[in-house]
């Protein structure tokens, strides 16, 4: 079976939904191999989990080889819903594949009356509506409902001139690991930005065992962060067979994910988690992360 057909078959895995509305993912055609010099993989954003490409996102890739050398990879094909790329595997050991310099839509916030409001584009005026309103007699503004909630957004043309504003960058990170022959140690972390340190080798996972990991931002542990886990499955299986219990990191940023069945799993999270308190200043960098692993029988 050729690589392109394998990729097409992998995209036929079922759709799921969860609290996190979107997640980037990176899906190799195989997770371990004993032959061959290259493999193909795809990346995309799944809006309703799991491994159904909802939309593409602009990214390049960096492959870290078993000896620590890093090599850039660009997509061999850029489609509307996903990318397809190929990587060389000349040496034995474990390769890390990770997206690079991928960002989602940036956001802007404005501090208005003590609340940070998301700034949305101003709507273009409708000449017909303007003419109709001008011809109608003036009306007193309608009273706001008693249970009216404070606004969370504001139009760009309504932001006060002296309001403090803030730009927020949304980083998209997806990674996976492929081993040729015998597994080798994983690359060291950079201690920059959002990173997941795998305490269990991702290519030595078996059903009934666990994946242990630690979540870090700029080298510091992230406690109490929720991780969502999804399992690839037949579309005939109910959601409860595919959507696994979420786990949270402890005070050291560590978490343990137990796998009762074999299969391909997508582990996702977002940092920082959504904060409903609009009086608190938003983070200038948001991260949405997806890790793909295979659990063996």
């Amino acid at each position: 079976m050729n690589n392109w057909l394998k990729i097409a078959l992998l995209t036929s895995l079922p759709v799921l939904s969860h609290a996190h509305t979107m997640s980037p993912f990176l899906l190799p055609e195989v997770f371990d191999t004993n032959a061959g010099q290259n493999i193909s993989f795809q990346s995309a954003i799944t809006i309703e989990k799991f491994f159904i490409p909802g939309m593409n996102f602009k990214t390049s890739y960096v492959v870290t080889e078993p000896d620590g050398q890093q090599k850039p990879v660009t997509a061999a094909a850029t489609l509307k819903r996903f990318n397809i790329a190929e990587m060389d595997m000349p040496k034995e050991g474990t390769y890390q594949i990770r997206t690079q310099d991928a960002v989602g839509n940036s956001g802007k916030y404005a501090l208005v009356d003590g609340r940070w409001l998301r700034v949305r584009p101003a709507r273009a005026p409708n000449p017909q509506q303007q003419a109709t309103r001008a011809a109608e007699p003036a009306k007193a503004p309608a009273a706001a409902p008693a249970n009216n909630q404070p606004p969370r957004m504001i139009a760009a043309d309504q932001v006060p001139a002296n309001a403090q504003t803030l730009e927020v960058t949304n980083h998209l990170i997806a990674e996976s690991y492929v081993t040729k022959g015998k597994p080798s140690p994983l690359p060291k972390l950079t201690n920059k930005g959002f990173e997941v340190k795998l305490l269990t080798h991702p290519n030595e996972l078996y059903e009934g065992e666990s994946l242990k990991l630690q979540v870090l931002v700029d080298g510091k542990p992230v406690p109490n962060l929720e991780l969502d886990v999804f399992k690839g499955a037949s579309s005939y299986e109910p959601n409860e067979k595919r959507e696994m219990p979420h786990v949270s990191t402890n005070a050291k940023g560590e978490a343990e994910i137990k796998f009762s069945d074999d299969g391909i799993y997508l582990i996702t999270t977002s940092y920082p988690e959504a904060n409903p308190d609009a009086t608190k200043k938003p983070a200038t960098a948001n991260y949405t992360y997806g890790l793909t692993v295979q659990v063996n029988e």
Side-chain angles (χ1 to χ4, degrees):
M1 185 183 297
N2 63 52
N3 292 345
W4 291 80
L5 181 55
K6 290 179 181 178
I7 289 290
L9 291 176
L10 287 170
T11 64
S12 66
L13 290 170
V15 174
L16 297 181
S17 60
H18 201 256
H20 293 140
T21 57
M22 56 173 271
S23 175
F25 71 86
L26 192 153
L27 181 61
E29 61 172 299
V30 295
F31 291 84
D32 59 81
T33 180
N34 291 314
Q37 292 294 315
N38 62 72
I39 66 163
S40 57
F41 60 89
Q42 70 163 296
S43 68
I45 288 178
T46 175
I47 300 177
E48 297 183 61
K49 314 292 189 309
F50 171 74
F51 287 158
I52 295 295
M55 66 180 74
N56 203 345
F57 65 103
K58 186 177 180 180
T59 186
S60 58
Y61 312 92
V62 59
V63 174
T64 304
E65 298 186 339
D67 58 5
Q69 291 189 54
Q70 292 189 330
K71 294 186 177 180
V73 174
T74 56
T78 300
L79 308 178
K80 289 183 179 180
R81 294 173 56 201
F82 58 92
N83 279 347
I84 295 176
E86 291 184 315
M87 58 176 279
D88 293 327
M89 300 182 66
K91 310 160 189 173
E92 287 204 353
T94 300
Y95 293 73
Q96 180 197 51
I97 319 168
R98 184 178 171 97
T99 56
Q100 188 174 39
D101 301 326
V103 294
N105 294 331
S106 60
K108 183 177 181 179
Y109 288 80
L111 183 60
V112 181
D113 297 330
R115 294 173 56 83
W116 286 97
L117 306 181
R118 179 71 181 265
V119 179
R120 61 172 174 79
R123 295 178 181 176
N126 186 316
Q128 183 176 357
Q129 290 181 347
Q130 287 183 326
T132 302
R133 290 172 182 169
E136 293 177 348
K139 297 180 180 179
N147 61 348
N148 188 35
Q149 297 295 320
R152 299 192 63 86
M153 302 184 70
I154 187 171
D157 57 355
Q158 296 178 353
V159 176
N162 61 346
Q164 182 181 351
T165 59
L166 178 69
E167 294 285 344
V168 175
T169 303
N170 297 309
H171 299 273
L172 304 175
I173 303 171
E175 64 182 352
S176 190
Y177 296 82
V178 178
T179 291
K180 180 178 179 180
K182 184 179 179 180
S184 59
L186 304 181
K188 293 182 180 180
L189 302 186
T190 65
N191 293 329
K192 295 180 181 179
F194 185 97
E195 295 180 294
V196 173
K197 181 179 181 179
L198 299 182
L199 307 176
T200 306
H201 199 290
N203 295 136
E204 293 185 308
L205 294 173
Y206 294 88
E207 59 181 340
E209 298 182 349
S210 300
L211 171 67
K212 297 180 181 180
L213 54 82
Q214 183 182 32
V215 181
L216 304 150
V217 171
D218 295 330
K220 298 179 180 179
V222 179
N224 304 317
L225 182 67
E226 183 177 299
L227 304 171
D228 294 321
V229 185
F230 300 91
K231 179 183 183 297
S234 164
S235 58
Y236 296 101
E237 293 187 72
N239 281 351
E240 55 265 26
K241 293 290 187 179
R242 295 176 275 171
E243 187 171 347
M244 312 302 292
H246 68 260
V247 299
S248 296
T249 57
N250 61 20
K252 297 181 180 180
E254 298 174 347
E256 180 178 357
I257 301 170
K258 297 181 180 180
F259 302 106
S260 58
D261 297 309
D262 63 301
I264 298 175
Y265 290 80
L266 175 63
I267 301 163
T268 76
T269 191
S270 295
Y271 175 84
E273 294 181 323
N275 187 350
D277 187 356
T279 64
K280 293 186 178 180
K281 188 176 183 179
T284 57
N286 293 330
Y287 300 91
T288 305
Y289 173 84
L291 167 67
T292 312
V293 297
Q294 183 179 46
V295 176
N296 303 298
E297 291 183 317

